[in-house]
Amino acid sequence: MQDINFRNIDYLYQGTEKQKQAAVVMEDLGVFAHLAPYDPILVSTVPIGIDIPGSDLDIACHVTDFAAFEQTIRRNFGHLPDLSVVSRNVNGVDRIVVRFRHRGWMFEIFGQPVPTEQQNGYRHMVVEYRLLQLIGEAGRERIIAMKQAGIKTEPAFAELLGIPGDPYAALLDMYYWPDDRLSGYYYKLLARERNEDA
């Protein structure tokens, strides 16, 4: 499988037109430079090419000092339209969610006191990327079509590949799976489709 260093957005310049546009907008804003102390990683659908119109640029951050993080946000992005900063505690974990708009893109920056690569958003994205490498362009287009029909990303993968149980929890478990185990779902998909065509 092709590896991507998701920590460096240079890979976006080799991608789709939408990915190239996203890279230019983020570079223009200097978002990763401003957020560098918080180990930012672009996560969700844009990096892996399954975004649909209206998809946000979601950025995960490792935040332990929420007051300092909010100061960084307001100092660098406080002039931007639709800025909102919301903090809350979910299941005993503090988190902060920042939203703003820039050059037609909605940004959502998510911070919590968990290293970025251990956060659910990052791990879901990595598993989905690995699955997309298996199911190819036709599979990617089917995931996009399901999303356009209103199905959320993780449930779309679960429905297409026949992944049982809670799709969010299942994909997190699959983060640790080797490629040969992940490919089992692809072969099940092929077998299912052969049976449907017979």
Side-chain angles (χ1 to χ4, degrees):
M1 288 190 188
Q2 180 183 0
D3 286 333
I4 289 181
N5 176 12
F6 287 111
R7 290 182 167 280
N8 185 334
I9 65 168
D10 284 352
Y11 69 90
L12 294 173
Y13 288 105
Q14 312 304 317
T16 65
E17 277 307 308
K18 191 85 172 284
Q19 288 172 327
K20 292 173 185 175
Q21 292 169 16
V24 169
V25 168
M26 289 186 290
E27 294 277 8
D28 174 64
L29 192 56
V31 64
F32 283 89
H34 294 313
L35 296 175
Y38 303 101
D39 194 21
I41 300 178
L42 180 68
V43 299
S44 196
T45 58
V46 172
I48 57 177
I50 53 170
D51 52 282
I52 60 175
S55 291
D56 296 345
L57 291 175
D58 298 332
I59 300 171
C61 291
H62 180 201
V63 177
T64 54
D65 185 335
F66 285 74
F69 182 73
E70 184 168 350
Q71 287 177 358
T72 296
I73 293 295
R74 295 195 181 279
R75 182 171 62 249
N76 295 292
F77 311 119
H79 62 289
L80 295 170
D82 302 327
L83 176 72
S84 67
V85 182
V86 177
S87 299
R88 59 189 179 127
N89 184 287
V90 178
N91 298 325
V93 179
D94 290 325
R95 57 185 63 192
I96 186 168
V97 179
V98 176
R99 290 179 66 82
F100 55 79
R101 193 173 296 280
H102 180 62
R103 290 178 56 182
W105 288 84
M106 180 60 78
F107 284 73
E108 182 170 293
I109 302 172
F110 178 82
Q112 59 178 336
V114 176
T116 317
E117 289 187 351
Q118 295 177 24
Q119 293 185 25
N120 290 355
Y122 174 79
R123 292 187 170 182
H124 278 151
M125 179 185 71
V126 169
V127 169
E128 289 156 10
Y129 172 72
R130 293 171 64 202
L131 289 169
L132 287 167
Q133 297 295 292
L134 292 169
I135 64 179
E137 181 61 20
R140 186 183 75 86
E141 290 175 359
R142 289 172 66 178
I143 292 290
I144 290 173
M146 294 166 77
K147 286 171 58 60
Q148 289 173 330
I151 302 174
K152 296 291 187 184
T153 305
E154 286 77 12
F157 275 92
E159 183 175 325
L160 178 64
L161 294 169
I163 299 169
D166 178 341
Y168 298 92
L171 285 169
L172 283 181
D173 288 341
M174 292 163 70
Y175 176 81
Y176 299 99
W177 289 14
D179 290 345
D180 59 347
R181 187 175 179 192
L182 278 184
S183 65
Y185 277 110
Y186 171 61
Y187 294 126
K188 287 179 184 176
L189 171 64
L190 291 179
R192 191 167 70 243
E193 291 182 338
R194 278 197 298 267
N195 289 336
E196 289 171 1
D197 291 340

